[in-house]
Amino acid sequence: GRLGGRRGGGSGGGGGGRRDVDEFGRERRDRPHNRKPYERPGRGGGRGGGHGMGRGGMASGHVGGHLDEAKDIESRLSSLIIKVGDKNTPTLQNNLDALSVVLEKDFTKHEITVLRTFRQCVLELPWKVTVYSTLAGLLNVKNSETGEKVVTLMHAVLRESLEKGRWGSVKVLMRFFALLVGTNTISAHTFLAMIQVLLGPVVDAASPVTASGNCYVFIVMSTLLWAGRSLKEHAPAELDQVLTIVSNYVERHSQANEGVTITTVFHDAPPKGSNVLAYLLDILRTVAANGWKIDAISAPHEMFAAEFAQAKQHELPLLELPSSLAPGAFYTPSEFLQLVPSPAEHAVR
């Protein structure tokens, strides 16, 4: 029958050995793709292959299984980091604490995935920067080496963003480091050193108004809205110095642009400046008078105040401002159309 193979051999149809034929009676050629699945290389033992081939196949599958398991773990870790804090619920404290335990436990095996996901979340989900700074602080509490790697990575991203003129990223990253002061991951003086580098081009009271100066002062004032409470607590004198520097610069900037404003103010309150820099300065002064409290900025790190008090602080190398960027490569704070009085919370963007 066809399943049993055909006898043959020779033209006379006499007896002979069984030919190697497939289930349809066709002669099987000695090619890998014509072999049965269990006879193909890497699929276990074949004819005469013995158990050695079978063990090889099992080992290959075992390795593949480990790879699939590792990818699945990394995918779940990334998903947990991305989704944490999506909802500001009463369980946020427990969620952050549980996630920090999981990440610290698996960090050694999946360091690249954790750091890459953390970086992307801070840059692409800036409205959750308070959540991720708190998570970084918790990782630092549980293992200072893990916390140091997170902080070092984000500092490297900040340096790269400065060099390439990615000002949106610079603004978000400076907020991240400002919030790390509240988690005791970096000191207030370490953060102030970063601020002082940005203000270097305008620290002189007679420094001219420039495109780069406008950009750096804007970033610093935007950052102070997030850092003010911590700096007021740990370095009040240095905070006052920073405010004096930016106030002097904004005054010079306003004088230089006094006759070019095109903004109309449509409310009864006296105009307080239509330029973004002047507007931010007014907001900073109002917030400072209220103890740097801004309801629009959540503070999940305050739920872990006791844990953060025991954290190890990390020092960071000084930033370097880019020297090769053209004036047109800097962010230009422009004028805006103010239709209604804006509370301080509207500046937190």
Side-chain angles (χ1 to χ4, degrees):
R2 294 190 305 179
L3 296 180
R6 294 181 179 176
R7 292 184 177 274
S11 58
R18 177 183 296 181
R19 292 184 302 158
D20 187 13
V21 297
D22 63 16
E23 56 267 35
F24 298 104
R26 297 174 297 196
E27 185 173 356
R28 191 186 306 279
R29 297 181 180 179
D30 188 18
R31 295 180 180 175
H33 63 268
N34 282 329
R35 299 177 191 169
K36 296 177 182 178
Y38 50 80
E39 294 176 335
R40 295 176 187 168
R43 298 292 184 90
R47 294 188 181 184
H51 295 287
M53 199 66 170
R55 285 195 298 269
M58 291 176 63
S60 176
H62 192 59
V63 172
H66 273 302
L67 291 175
D68 291 341
E69 181 181 0
K71 290 182 178 179
D72 181 61
I73 293 175
E74 292 176 350
S75 177
R76 286 189 284 113
L77 288 176
S78 295
S79 179
L80 289 172
I81 297 172
I82 293 170
K83 292 180 179 180
V84 67
D86 278 352
K87 296 181 180 179
N88 190 14
T89 63
T91 61
L92 178 59
Q93 181 177 0
N94 292 334
N95 293 343
L96 283 170
D97 190 43
L99 178 56
S100 65
V101 172
V102 172
L103 294 180
E104 196 281 322
K105 178 181 178 181
D106 292 335
F107 187 82
T108 302
K109 295 181 179 179
H110 307 287
E111 176 178 334
I112 295 177
T113 297
V114 172
L115 291 179
R116 181 178 63 243
T117 306
F118 203 95
R119 172 187 180 277
Q120 292 174 328
C121 286
V122 172
L123 292 177
E124 299 178 22
L125 303 174
W127 53 89
K128 293 200 298 181
V129 66
T130 57
V131 173
Y132 291 118
S133 60
T134 303
L135 179 59
L138 289 172
L139 289 174
N140 184 58
V141 169
K142 291 176 170 55
N143 189 325
S144 62
E145 293 182 1
T146 301
E148 184 178 16
K149 289 183 178 180
V150 173
V151 173
T152 300
L153 167 71
M154 302 310 293
H155 191 266
V157 177
L158 175 58
R159 292 200 311 268
E160 180 185 6
S161 299
L162 275 170
E163 293 171 358
K164 297 185 177 180
R166 297 171 180 167
W167 304 114
S169 297
V170 171
K171 184 175 71 170
V172 173
L173 290 166
M174 287 299 295
R175 290 178 178 179
F176 175 77
F177 282 104
L179 293 165
L180 287 186
V181 177
T183 67
N184 203 32
T185 304
I186 64 174
S187 68
H189 296 285
T190 297
F191 176 72
L192 281 166
M194 302 169 67
I195 291 289
Q196 290 166 0
V197 169
L198 293 178
L199 291 180
V202 302
V203 67
D204 188 349
S207 58
V209 174
T210 62
S212 60
N214 296 343
C215 179
Y216 294 137
V217 169
F218 168 79
I219 290 175
V220 169
M221 288 199 295
S222 176
T223 303
L224 288 178
L225 290 170
W226 302 73
R229 293 183 68 179
S230 296
L231 295 181
K232 183 65 175 179
E233 178 182 356
H234 299 289
E238 291 84 348
L239 175 59
D240 290 340
Q241 291 176 1
V242 170
L243 288 173
T244 299
I245 294 173
V246 298
S247 297
N248 291 338
Y249 184 85
V250 172
E251 182 179 351
R252 297 196 301 275
H253 178 272
S254 299
Q255 292 174 353
N257 294 272
E258 186 175 3
V260 297
T261 179
I262 58 173
T263 303
T264 304
V265 181
F266 290 97
H267 57 81
D268 296 333
K272 299 178 181 180
S274 57
N275 184 275
V276 169
L277 295 184
Y279 171 77
L280 276 179
L281 179 60
D282 183 68
I283 294 297
L284 284 176
R285 288 170 173 168
T286 301
V287 172
N290 294 329
W292 294 96
K293 180 176 176 57
I294 303 178
D295 293 334
I297 298 180
S298 63
H301 67 277
E302 293 180 352
M303 298 183 292
F304 301 95
E307 291 91 331
F308 290 151
Q310 308 300 321
K312 177 182 177 181
Q313 293 181 342
H314 303 285
E315 298 296 327
L316 297 171
L318 285 178
L319 294 173
E320 293 184 5
L321 297 182
S323 58
S324 59
L325 292 180
F330 290 92
Y331 170 75
T332 303
S334 59
E335 297 178 358
F336 64 98
L337 187 64
Q338 185 177 354
L339 299 179
V340 295
S342 299
E345 284 77 4
H346 288 188
V348 185
R349 288 185 299 176

